[in-house]
């Protein structure tokens, strides 16, 4: 009777090897999860930026406060100018008025006049089709305006209308176009009776 030889196989999967393999799997999974989470956070951040930019583009950066005043020429029975005060809208970022264009549409011929910013009243009076005059009513910089309309500041805008010959009951459109944000339209109507000082909109 031949006895079979029993060979002992010393090869095996030890606990240490199992632990190393498990750690490797966990590490790979953690790295993969980190990559996925990072991509998700990046996408979310980009989505928020897009939404924020979209809100800035569709909402106006400024608002008109107080009454809109007009002065008339009783001799020619036409409008001389329109004056209103603007400030930043709630939550809006400061805007550069030197890059803000104001357009005035003449109802007689449909011509749109693009007016640029100036703090020189004489320049605005002598060039009514080219400039609007800005008087800084409230300036947070202590009387030294830097052309930026900032929080708590107020700027009084004067638009010379002498060249438009606006008659009583005529409707004209003023649009404020800041460099950031939507255009702010103001539709006004010349009163039936032209007086030296008139309230056009309260």
């Amino acid at each position: 009777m031949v006895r079979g030889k029993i060979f002992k196989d010393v090869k095996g999967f030890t606990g240490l090897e199992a632990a190393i393999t498990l750690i490797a799997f966990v590490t790979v999974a953690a790295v993969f999860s980190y990559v996925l989470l990072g991509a998700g956070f990046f996408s979310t951040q980009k989505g928020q930026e897009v939404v924020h930019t979209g809100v800035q583009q569709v909402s106006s950066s400024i608002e008109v406060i107080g009454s809109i005043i007009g002065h008339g020429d009783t001799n020619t029975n036409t409008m001389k100018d329109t004056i209103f005060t603007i400030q930043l809208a709630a939550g809006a970022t400061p805007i550069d008025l030197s890059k803000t264009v104001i357009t005035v549409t003449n109802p007689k011929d449909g011509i749109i006049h693009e007016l640029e910013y100036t703090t020189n009243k004489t320049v605005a009076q002598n060039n009514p089709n080219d400039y609007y005059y800005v008087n800084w009513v409230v300036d947070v910089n202590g009387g030294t305006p830097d052309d930026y309309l900032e929080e708590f500041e107020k700027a009084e805008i004067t638009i010379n209308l002498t060249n438009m010959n606006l008659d009583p009951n005529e409707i004209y459109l003023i649009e404020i176009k800041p460099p950031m944000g939507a255009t702010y339209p103001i539709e006004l109507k010349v009163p039936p009776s032209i007086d030296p000082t008139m309230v056009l909109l309260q």
Side-chain angles (χ1 to χ4, degrees), residues 84 86 95-103 113-125 127-139 141 143-150 153-159 175-179:
F84 53 88
I86 62 173
I95 62 171
D96 188 352
L97 285 187
S98 66
K99 297 179 181 178
T100 299
V101 175
I102 293 181
T103 62
H113 300 277
E114 289 194 355
L115 311 180
E116 298 181 0
Y117 164 91
T118 182
T119 54
N120 190 321
K121 191 173 185 178
T122 302
V123 170
Q125 288 176 336
N127 302 276
N129 292 338
D130 300 321
Y131 296 97
Y132 63 91
Y133 169 63
V134 177
N135 176 38
W136 291 91
V137 180
V138 178
D139 176 27
N141 298 307
T144 56
D146 57 1
D147 297 337
Y148 275 85
L149 182 63
E150 302 173 78
E153 287 189 335
K154 294 176 175 58
E156 184 184 72
I157 308 295
T158 300
I159 299 175
E175 292 183 309
I176 308 172
K177 301 179 179 180

Side-chain angles (χ1 to χ4, degrees), residues 54-123:
V55 170
Q56 284 186 327
Q57 292 292 340
V58 300
S59 60
S60 180
S61 304
I62 60 172
E63 60 183 1
V64 175
I65 58 172
S67 301
I68 299 179
I69 305 297
H71 294 108
D73 188 338
T74 55
N75 295 323
T76 60
N77 204 36
T78 57
M79 289 283 295
K80 292 172 59 178
D81 60 35
T82 298
I83 301 174
F84 53 88
T85 302
I86 62 173
Q87 68 178 11
L88 281 181
T93 57
I95 62 171
D96 188 352
L97 285 187
S98 66
K99 297 179 181 178
T100 299
V101 175
I102 293 181
T103 62
V104 184
T105 303
N106 191 333
K108 293 183 182 297
D109 49 25
I111 295 177
I112 300 176
H113 300 277
E114 289 194 355
L115 311 180
E116 298 181 0
Y117 164 91
T118 182
T119 54
N120 190 321
K121 191 173 185 178
T122 302
V123 170

Side-chain angles (χ1 to χ4, degrees), residues 1-94:
M1 183 175 181
V2 180
R3 292 184 178 180
K5 294 183 179 180
I6 299 176
F7 296 96
K8 293 183 179 180
D9 190 355
V10 296
K11 294 181 180 179
F13 199 61
T14 64
L16 180 60
E17 291 173 331
I20 292 174
T21 304
L22 181 61
I23 291 173
F25 275 114
V26 171
T27 302
V28 172
V31 171
F32 186 67
S33 301
Y34 177 78
V35 172
L36 288 179
L37 287 174
F41 289 143
F42 179 77
S43 300
T44 302
Q45 183 180 6
K46 286 298 180 182
Q48 289 176 344
E49 290 178 1
V50 170
V51 171
H52 183 67
T53 303
V55 170
Q56 284 186 327
Q57 292 292 340
V58 300
S59 60
S60 180
S61 304
I62 60 172
E63 60 183 1
V64 175
I65 58 172
S67 301
I68 299 179
I69 305 297
H71 294 108
D73 188 338
T74 55
N75 295 323
T76 60
N77 204 36
T78 57
M79 289 283 295
K80 292 172 59 178
D81 60 35
T82 298
I83 301 174
F84 53 88
T85 302
I86 62 173
Q87 68 178 11
L88 281 181
T93 57

